[in-house]
Amino acid sequence: MKGNEAIAHAAIRYGADGYFGYPITPQSEVLETLEALMPWETTGMVVLQAESEVSSINMVYGGAATGKAVMTSSSSPGVSLMQEGISYLAASELPALIVNVMRGGPGLGTIHPSQSDYFQATKGGGHGDYHLIVLAPSTVQEMADFVALGFDLAFKYRTPSMILADGIVGQMMEKVVLPPQRPRRTAEQIKEQCPWAVTGREGSRKRNVVTSLELDSAVMEKNNERFQRTYREIEKNEVRYEARYTEDADYLIVAFGSIARICLKAIEDARKEGIKIGLVRPITLWPFPFDAIREAARNVKGILCVEINAGQMIEDVRLAVSDRVPVCHFGRMGGIVPNPQEVLDALKKDFINK
Amino acid sequence: MKDEIIIAGFGGQGVLSMGKILAYAALENNLEVTWMPSYGPEQRGGTANVTVILSDEPISSPVLDTYDTAVILNQQSLDKFEGKVKPGGVLIYDPYGIHRAPTRTDITVVSVDAMEATIEMGQAKSYNMILLGALLKMRPDVPVEAVVRGLKKALPERHHHLIPVNEAAIRRGMDLVK
Amino acid sequence: MKREDIIKPENKVYSRPRLLDDNIMHYCPGCSHGVVHKIVAEVIDELGLEEHAIGIAPVGCAVFAYNYIDCDWVEAAHGRAPALATAVSRLNPDKVVFTYQGDGDLAAIGTAETIHACTRGENIVIIMINNGIYGMTGGQMSPCTLEGAKTATTPYGRRVDLNGFPLRVGNVVSILDGTCYVTRQAVHTTAAVRKAKAAIRKAFLNARAKKGTSFVEIVGTCSSGWKMSPEKSNKWMEENMFAHYPLGDIKDTDKTE
């Protein structure tokens, strides 16, 4: 099963209430698969092809306001269009899941894989002070698993979360074990878990209003302080990463998503040559695993940050280690994916044969 | 066991679906699999290739620079991938439309007249299955029975009546390898 | 006779609708929004929909509609109300969902959302106040600004060679197969208010009966933006706006079927 298809299957099995999306390569299989599976006949999940990404995200915003588990997916240019709605979701403290299967930019760019939306995803993207929880899958299995994780974290912290995948993991097929089918939440469960939700003002309850607008600056500052407390809480509890071969490593590679797998092969090939390289793969790009990288970098001579972009995550890696360890970037752009040999050559050039 | 395979040719020749059927067959045989296409807007006529990795251990990189096995369906792909077959590896190609044949001597080069056989069989759509047969003969990673089960998964139900034709093409392809 | 002797239930001839809060409205004197808010509150109450109605507020002067009408609300981004309403309605088919928008919000930045919600025939009510101006941002030209009308961005009057023609939104959505009821009303006289209320009531009933999209355009005034007294605004509206935006039903599938 393709990564994009796994997202669709996992959404139905999570018991998602709605998906709203617009076709764009390389992620159209998400919408196509959902339409083919017709979950409205089985779980009652709503699937709708919107007229644009702008509408998709605003449908997500409307659906999320009613306490439903709703999601969308797109690829880079489409996710740029969604930034308005994502900012509103964050400001209104609404849970939702957004999937970005990145392609190369800027502009219309290329339909081929890229990781050049790292800044957009992790540093805000839209206007205002906010963060998304950003999950970076490296396997089709993680594409499936992160749907439930993304939704659960979104509801736990009342904040939108994003699966930041790339064209490789979206388009590639591999073995995947799908989670068991969960029932969709009932209207009663939603009212209990989401007392803020717009569900119709019943009985003596005061009306619920979901809004991001607050013209009183003092109140708006308080709102922002509340958002920031949530973000600190997420930073404390939800950092996720994978570390491989770091115990005896002389060098460290930091890479996320599918590129981490290419690096892993490079690392395994290098071990055959006697070069000891470790890997830290951030799974949550926000919150970023600063401590894990600092720890893994304690005894290394250099860090290579491998990303298929011009060097974005490298800024966070440098923050993690300050100036104590030299950090270099290796990446390709425009949709080109480096192979393991290129990664190893880059590491040798930067740190071993300089 | 690990086989790192590249299948390359024109879009429309069945490159991606050949890889997909092989991938499903390997899944049926309890192997780890990755199937990574070069995707593009050119659904027909452009170049297309797919990397399929079969292994009995977890697979790290789905993207490779060298391959154990190459199945080549046109000249551009031959030019691009001949040099990327690992020494001792296997290169299978259809000489139809090839004007510059492979020259390497450190790999096993197998020429399979798949187009000719396809025309003879009158089954244009099973062209890729003839080459898959040749691949399975050279690299018996999965038994033909698993491939037939894989076909059932890879093909939509309305095409299941074509499975016997495809199986025949696979066996024909196996026979074409001398 | 003292004031207290007069204020008694038996003497009551008129009161604020039950679902209209006593929050002081921020609207300018002469603005049509207050009257339309009152109608919406009355209709929701009279149809017994207070537990089922969900409003989608716009960006524009009516952004704070949620402070006045006592039902659940979501505040949309500029122009996106029909997209929100689509999802709220589809995910909660037992609710009656309405948007409340201005002509700038709906017919400029929100054109795509409007056209596609109407063409899908979402079971929602869309109420659009057409006062031909962006009121909240300080009186700029809107899609419905009349030719020759002076605004902050057309200080010498709207010129069609520069700014195009004023958009008849009701007519545009009436040709879409998903709309079941499209009407254009006003609220400048008692008779007009009665008709507008009947129209909004019909629209809510259509949504409850899942007949498709109902679109109620209310031609209204913006005394501040038009820089006219409330009285003169009404007169100017009658003489100029109604000529380009004639009142009455544009489409009613109940009657054509």
Side-chain angles (χ1 to χ4, degrees):
Chain A
M1 174 178 300
K2 280 187 174 188
N4 290 335
E5 294 163 350
I7 294 266
H9 284 274
I12 297 169
R13 284 164 178 258
Y14 177 75
D17 296 302
Y19 171 95
F20 305 91
Y22 185 77
I24 182 171
T25 307
Q27 66 76 50
S28 299
E29 293 90 347
V30 181
L31 175 58
E32 289 169 5
T33 305
L34 284 168
E35 295 283 8
L37 292 171
M38 298 197 292
W40 53 90
E41 300 277 355
T42 51
T43 69
M45 179 184 181
V46 170
V47 180
L48 183 61
Q49 178 171 339
E51 60 271 22
S52 67
E53 288 90 350
V54 175
S55 286
S56 306
I57 195 70
N58 281 286
M59 288 173 182
V60 167
Y61 179 62
T66 67
K68 303 278 183 177
V70 288
M71 65 180 292
T72 185
S73 65
S74 189
S75 180
S76 307
V79 176
S80 288
L81 280 173
M82 291 183 180
Q83 291 305 322
E84 171 196 62
I86 295 173
S87 172
Y88 277 66
L89 283 162
S92 304
E93 297 171 282
L94 293 179
L97 178 65
I98 300 130
V99 180
N100 180 0
V101 182
M102 288 180 281
R103 57 190 254 185
L108 205 47
T110 166
I111 58 169
H112 293 114
S114 172
Q115 295 180 324
S116 51
D117 303 344
Y118 178 90
F119 282 151
Q120 185 193 58
T122 62
K123 309 295 178 190
H127 59 283
D129 277 321
Y130 74 91
H131 280 291
L132 304 175
I133 296 171
V134 183
L135 303 167
S138 72
T139 61
V140 174
Q141 185 65 53
E142 284 187 340
M143 287 286 259
D145 294 346
F146 287 0
V147 170
L149 179 62
F151 268 127
D152 287 345
L153 291 174
F155 274 92
K156 182 175 177 189
Y157 295 101
R158 281 186 65 184
T159 186
S161 62
M162 176 179 273
I163 295 176
L164 190 68
D166 55 59
I168 299 174
V169 75
Q171 287 295 325
M172 93 177 204
M173 288 203 303
E174 60 186 341
K175 207 189 264 185
V176 56
V177 180
L178 292 171
Q181 180 68 52
R182 300 209 311 212
R184 287 172 54 230
R185 286 176 308 152
T186 62
E188 284 63 40
Q189 286 170 322
I190 289 173
K191 278 173 205 162
E192 196 188 314
Q193 290 167 18
C194 309
W196 44 265
V198 166
T199 53
R201 190 186 61 74
E202 282 176 19
S204 57
R205 146 157 110 56
K206 282 181 72 178
R207 66 173 172 266
N208 282 340
V209 175
V210 169
T211 180
S212 58
L213 179 67
E214 181 49 69
L215 294 184
D216 183 336
S217 299
V219 178
M220 193 62 203
E221 186 175 52
K222 287 264 175 295
N223 288 350
N224 269 284
E225 284 166 1
R226 189 173 67 249
F227 306 156
Q228 293 303 321
R229 278 197 300 277
T230 302
Y231 299 146
R232 298 297 88 75
E233 211 36 41
I234 295 169
E235 284 170 341
K236 202 169 76 192
N237 302 334
E238 305 300 345
V239 172
R240 287 168 169 78
Y241 64 92
E242 181 190 13
R244 303 284 293 270
Y245 303 110
T246 49
E247 302 79 17
D248 62 345
D250 293 320
Y251 306 95
L252 188 66
I253 288 178
V254 182
F256 69 95
S258 53
I259 303 308
R261 298 175 62 170
I262 295 170
C263 293
L264 189 60
K265 183 164 170 78
I267 288 166
E268 282 163 356
D269 291 347
R271 293 234 156 204
K272 290 176 198 153
E273 297 178 27
I275 303 168
K276 291 178 183 168
I277 310 171
L279 173 74
V280 173
R281 173 173 76 93
I283 293 171
T284 49
L285 300 181
W286 193 90
F288 192 74
F290 289 106
D291 294 341
I293 290 172
R294 193 178 304 122
E295 189 56 35
R298 196 177 288 254
N299 298 312
V300 304
K301 296 172 202 161
I303 301 176
L304 188 68
C305 192
V306 184
E307 318 168 60
I308 39 176
N309 57 38
Q312 299 192 11
M313 182 175 67
I314 188 171
E315 295 191 2
D316 287 329
V317 174
R318 285 198 172 120
L319 277 176
V321 297
S322 305
D323 285 333
R324 275 170 294 166
V325 188
V327 183
C328 292
H329 167 262
F330 174 69
R332 299 294 303 266
M333 287 174 283
I336 296 175
V337 177
N339 59 49
Q341 189 59 46
E342 286 178 73
V343 171
L344 193 50
D345 290 347
L347 185 130
K348 286 179 184 170
K349 179 171 125 318
D350 285 334
F351 298 117
I352 300 176
N353 307 327
K354 20 168 217 198
Chain B
M1 172 265 158
K2 190 174 197 181
D3 195 1
E4 299 177 332
I5 305 163
I6 180 85
I7 306 167
F10 288 123
Q13 282 182 314
V15 167
L16 300 190
S17 56
M18 174 179 170
K20 194 182 267 188
I21 290 159
L22 182 61
Y24 275 112
L27 278 181
E28 288 291 309
N29 226 29
N30 286 321
L31 292 172
E32 297 290 328
V33 185
T34 64
W35 175 95
M36 178 65 213
S38 68
Y39 56 89
E42 61 280 281
Q43 299 273 322
R44 304 274 186 278
T47 56
N49 67 67
V50 59
T51 305
V52 179
I53 307 175
L54 315 177
S55 175
D56 46 19
E57 281 173 37
I59 299 161
S60 55
S61 175
V63 178
L64 302 167
D65 44 324
T66 56
Y67 307 91
D68 300 308
T69 310
V71 181
I72 300 297
L73 280 66
N74 67 7
Q75 186 69 55
Q76 289 103 308
S77 302
L78 182 62
D79 296 345
K80 187 168 175 189
F81 292 109
E82 183 184 356
K84 295 188 173 180
V85 180
K86 294 177 201 170
V90 171
L91 188 155
I92 298 163
Y93 79 106
D94 181 352
Y96 184 86
I98 299 287
H99 51 82
R100 191 201 64 79
T103 54
R104 279 181 63 181
T105 52
D106 61 336
I107 59 174
T108 307
V109 175
V110 183
S111 164
V112 179
D113 291 317
M115 185 58 84
E116 213 176 280
T118 304
I119 294 164
E120 213 173 277
M121 290 174 77
Q123 295 289 345
K125 283 187 177 168
S126 52
Y127 173 66
N128 59 346
M129 290 300 98
I130 294 177
L131 285 152
L132 179 60
L135 170 69
L136 292 172
K137 180 74 179 287
M138 292 303 297
R139 295 286 193 197
D141 298 325
V142 285
V144 177
E145 295 68 43
V147 177
V148 174
R149 289 202 300 276
L151 271 168
K152 281 187 186 149
K153 294 230 163 141
L155 291 177
E157 204 137 326
R158 64 181 190 279
H159 291 151
H160 278 193
H161 67 281
L162 297 170
I163 290 174
V165 176
N166 281 293
E167 189 179 349
I170 291 168
R171 296 201 184 275
R172 178 69 184 272
M174 296 178 94
D175 292 342
L176 283 176
V177 179
K178 283 132 216 154
Chain C
M1 191 183 261
K2 284 185 195 157
R3 195 163 167 265
E4 286 71 33
D5 298 327
I6 301 169
I7 304 176
K8 284 181 179 163
E10 60 267 30
N11 292 334
K12 190 154 111 181
V13 291
Y14 179 84
S15 71
R16 178 166 51 81
R18 193 173 63 88
L19 296 180
L20 201 63
D21 276 8
D22 55 3
N23 292 330
I24 295 167
M25 284 192 177
H26 68 288
Y27 299 116
C28 309
C31 175
S32 311
H33 276 307
V35 184
V36 184
H37 280 22
K38 189 200 80 167
I39 293 174
V40 171
E42 283 176 354
V43 166
I44 292 172
D45 192 15
E46 287 165 17
L47 296 179
L49 293 175
E50 66 175 283
E51 296 190 352
H52 299 279
I54 294 179
I56 315 294
V59 168
C61 287
V63 67
F64 286 124
Y66 56 72
N67 281 341
Y68 309 125
I69 300 173
D70 192 16
C71 64
D72 276 4
W73 285 89
V74 191
E75 173 16 58
H78 201 22
R80 315 300 177 218
L84 271 73
T86 295
V88 173
S89 165
R90 290 209 180 202
L91 289 160
N92 303 275
D94 57 325
K95 304 297 176 213
V96 175
V97 184
F98 68 99
T99 75
Y100 187 107
Q101 306 174 256
D103 61 299
D105 181 84
L106 182 145
I109 192 167
T111 315
E113 286 77 6
T114 304
I115 295 285
H116 287 278
C118 287
T119 208
R120 286 188 301 261
E122 300 294 344
N123 292 307
I124 58 173
V125 178
I126 298 177
I127 299 169
M128 184 190 88
I129 310 298
N130 171 8
N131 56 15
I133 204 152
Y134 285 90
M136 182 178 244
T137 45
Q140 296 83 4
M141 180 187 69
S142 79
C144 298
T145 298
L146 292 182
E147 188 179 350
K150 288 180 181 172
T151 70
T153 50
T154 55
Y156 311 108
R158 179 175 186 157
R159 276 172 53 180
V160 296
D161 60 332
L162 292 178
N163 310 115
F165 294 92
L167 183 59
R168 290 189 189 90
V169 188
N171 301 69
V172 171
V173 299
S174 72
I175 62 166
L176 303 174
D177 293 331
T179 51
C180 61
Y181 178 51
V182 180
T183 187
R184 188 181 290 123
Q185 302 292 334
V187 290
H188 62 305
T189 65
T190 315
V193 170
R194 279 208 196 94
K195 278 189 191 166
K197 183 173 172 184
I200 288 175
R201 182 186 172 89
K202 183 179 170 77
F204 272 78
L205 287 171
N206 284 345
R208 197 169 64 175
K210 311 230 172 290
K211 286 187 181 173
T213 312
S214 294
F215 188 97
V216 182
E217 175 178 341
I218 309 271
V219 181
T221 55
C222 178
S223 298
S224 300
W226 294 359
K227 304 196 189 313
M228 295 174 200
S229 69
E231 200 183 354
K232 192 166 173 221
S233 296
N234 275 345
K235 194 159 179 285
W236 191 86
M237 175 172 73
E238 285 182 73
E239 287 168 3
N240 298 279
M241 294 286 277
F242 292 171
H244 193 75
Y245 303 112
L247 303 187
D249 288 354
I250 301 168
K251 178 184 191 179
D252 185 354
T253 51
D254 283 347
K255 289 181 185 156
T256 50
E257 268 162 13

